[in-house]
Amino acid sequence: MDPRQAWKEYLRELCFPSNDSSDEEDDLFMEGMRAWQADLEESERRPWGGGSVPGRKCINRYRHEGHMRLFNDYFADPPVYPDYIFRRRFRMKRDLFMKIVAAVEEKDPWFVQRRNAAGELGLSALQKVTAAFRMLAYDAPADSLDECLRLGESTIIESMRRFVNAVVQVFGDEYLRSPNEEDTARLLAINSRRGFLGMLGSVDCMHWRWKNCPTTWAGSYTGHVNAPTIILEAVASQDLWIWHAFFGMPGSLNDINVLHRSHLLDDLAAGQAPKVNYTINGQDYTMGYYLADGIYPEWATFVKPIPAPVGRKRQHFVVQQAAARKDVERAFGVLQSRFPIVRGVTRLWDEETLSAIMTACIIMHNMIIEDEREDDDVDYAYEGAGEDVQASHDVTPPLMVLSQRYNAIRCKQAHVNLREDLVEHLWQLHGGDV
């Protein structure tokens, strides 16, 4: 029996189990089955993402002319627009952009330019990647890019989705990693010149408004912003490099709730983080710390400001702590300026794509910092900088050891002692007396 006929008989048995249906009921059943079969056949003929659909007029966008104009404007030798305009519009230098294009094209064959059945060249990788960049760098609607880049709206959105996923897969391990021994030694050396011995960076959270949040989720994603938002927790250093990014928590949570769910301190608790040894005011410490604002808990790994400081020493500490803690706020500002899509109201629907967009923007932000870093301004070759950092590659510790490490991280007394020692140390550097 034909599979479709068998399916019809099965549905008939479900609808009329007694097998004594009337002729009128049989006619209604067959009419419904014919309509269902017609819809099924139409959906099988309809291509995904638009294309040639019966009754739809195909628009000739002159794709090749669009590619040649884009190439002559920015990538020819010489181009129409000089380097400083390319840097402003693409947020990075041309060499770095071409590096990303080549890596994405190699990772995802969808970006490779091909010929169709008629022998005509399709869209180039430059057109697809540029369309994705314009959405990220200008927060532009996909339909607004059709005129200049000659891509349809659905193709631009697909380009953006595939582009951010490819960037995360290709560059994520290198440009969104936890600090290794060399990185930790450099961070400690840089921050020691600022008076904060043992500091690894500053931590804070940022909200990204989600316009098209599903209605059923709106309550859990709405917090103090009075609109659905998604939270990014990040750690940044003085050069605005983002070392830690934890994205996806609903906006109804505060910074403490996000901290309890993030992986910021997991490596330290598991013994996988580089071991740090330093001395402040005559006291020895073995854990690095992050500068944080007042909402964070009083743990040994955070240094918070002193509320209502009394005395010149404590007031001086609060000023210095706030100045250094602004590193992460500056990183958020530069990230949002380079990629306004994470600053405005996102119009996408699925959380997975939003996570890929945020992660890809952070990765490219770090790539730009590395590419444009002026080593002459800051001397990273500190003599003996790595003497106080040892590699730590412990296997998964027993539960009791893990519990002891978490207790050490959350020790309030260690937090108070560290802050008081920093108060004295910064005051001595300031050269003041009581």
Side-chain angles (χ1 to χ4, degrees), residues 203-205 231-235 244-246 255 258-259 262 264 296:
V203 60
D204 204 354
C205 290
I231 300 176
L232 166 68
E233 179 192 71
V235 171
H244 161 80
F246 179 68
D255 295 3
V258 176
L259 174 65
S262 75
L264 174 61
Y296 279 83

Side-chain angles (χ1 to χ4, degrees), residues 98-371:
M98 295 306 298
K99 172 185 175 182
I100 294 176
V101 172
V104 168
E105 190 175 7
E106 182 179 359
K107 178 64 178 179
D108 190 347
W110 187 83
F111 287 94
V112 178
Q113 188 176 29
R114 294 186 177 88
R115 294 185 181 273
N116 59 18
E120 298 177 349
L121 279 174
L123 296 167
S124 67
L126 287 178
Q127 287 173 287
K128 296 176 182 178
V129 175
T130 301
F133 254 94
R134 290 299 170 90
M135 288 194 69
L136 299 176
Y138 287 89
D139 193 20
D143 187 57
S144 66
L145 304 175
D146 186 2
E147 295 174 331
C148 58
L149 296 175
R150 302 303 180 182
L151 281 75
E153 180 181 8
S154 61
T155 305
I156 293 175
I157 295 176
E158 183 68 13
S159 299
M160 193 266 294
R161 293 179 188 272
R162 289 178 174 269
F163 173 76
V164 294
N165 286 321
V167 168
V168 173
Q169 294 173 18
V170 175
F171 299 106
D173 292 340
E174 181 178 0
Y175 290 97
L176 194 57
R177 67 181 189 274
S178 299
N180 55 28
E181 294 80 20
E182 182 181 355
D183 298 327
T184 302
R186 187 180 63 179
L187 291 173
L188 294 176
I190 293 174
N191 291 320
S192 67
R193 298 200 318 180
R194 309 166 73 186
F196 288 93
L197 300 174
M199 172 185 165
L200 298 175
S202 52
V203 60
D204 204 354
C205 290
M206 181 189 83
H207 288 253
W208 186 16
R209 187 174 174 182
W210 191 5
K211 178 180 181 295
N212 288 336
C213 174
T215 304
T216 54
W217 297 357
S220 62
Y221 279 82
T222 302
H224 69 280
V225 184
N226 295 325
T229 59
I230 309 178
I231 300 176
L232 166 68
E233 179 192 71
V235 171
S237 54
Q238 186 182 20
D239 61 353
L240 306 186
W241 186 290
I242 297 177
W243 293 99
H244 161 80
F246 179 68
F247 178 78
M249 290 293 99
S252 60
L253 302 180
N254 59 23
D255 295 3
I256 300 178
N257 304 138
V258 176
L259 174 65
H260 285 304
R261 291 162 173 80
S262 75
H263 56 274
L264 174 61
L265 304 175
D266 288 354
D267 287 346
L268 180 60
Q272 301 295 329
K275 295 180 180 179
V276 178
N277 301 286
Y278 56 97
T279 302
I280 303 179
N281 197 32
Q283 301 295 324
D284 296 330
Y285 293 92
T286 59
M287 285 192 299
Y289 60 86
Y290 305 97
L291 299 186
D293 56 21
I295 192 175
Y296 279 83
E298 295 181 342
W299 291 357
T301 50
F302 297 118
V303 171
K304 300 168 46 176
I306 301 175
V310 177
R312 294 174 57 190
K313 288 194 298 186
R314 285 172 172 76
Q315 291 174 356
H316 176 70
F317 167 79
V318 170
V319 172
Q320 296 299 315
Q321 195 268 357
R325 182 172 53 84
K326 294 301 180 184
D327 292 345
V328 67
E329 300 289 352
R330 292 169 50 233
F332 286 151
V334 173
L335 176 68
Q336 292 175 337
S337 297
R338 283 176 174 159
F339 303 103
I341 191 172
V342 302
R343 177 183 61 194
V345 180
T346 177
R347 295 176 291 272
L348 296 174
W349 294 91
D350 58 304
E351 195 175 7
E352 182 179 355
T353 300
L354 297 179
S355 178
I357 290 174
M358 178 64 75
T359 306
C361 289
I362 293 174
I363 291 172
M364 291 187 290
H365 166 84
N366 288 343
M367 295 177 71
I368 295 171
I369 290 176
E370 181 188 63
D371 183 62

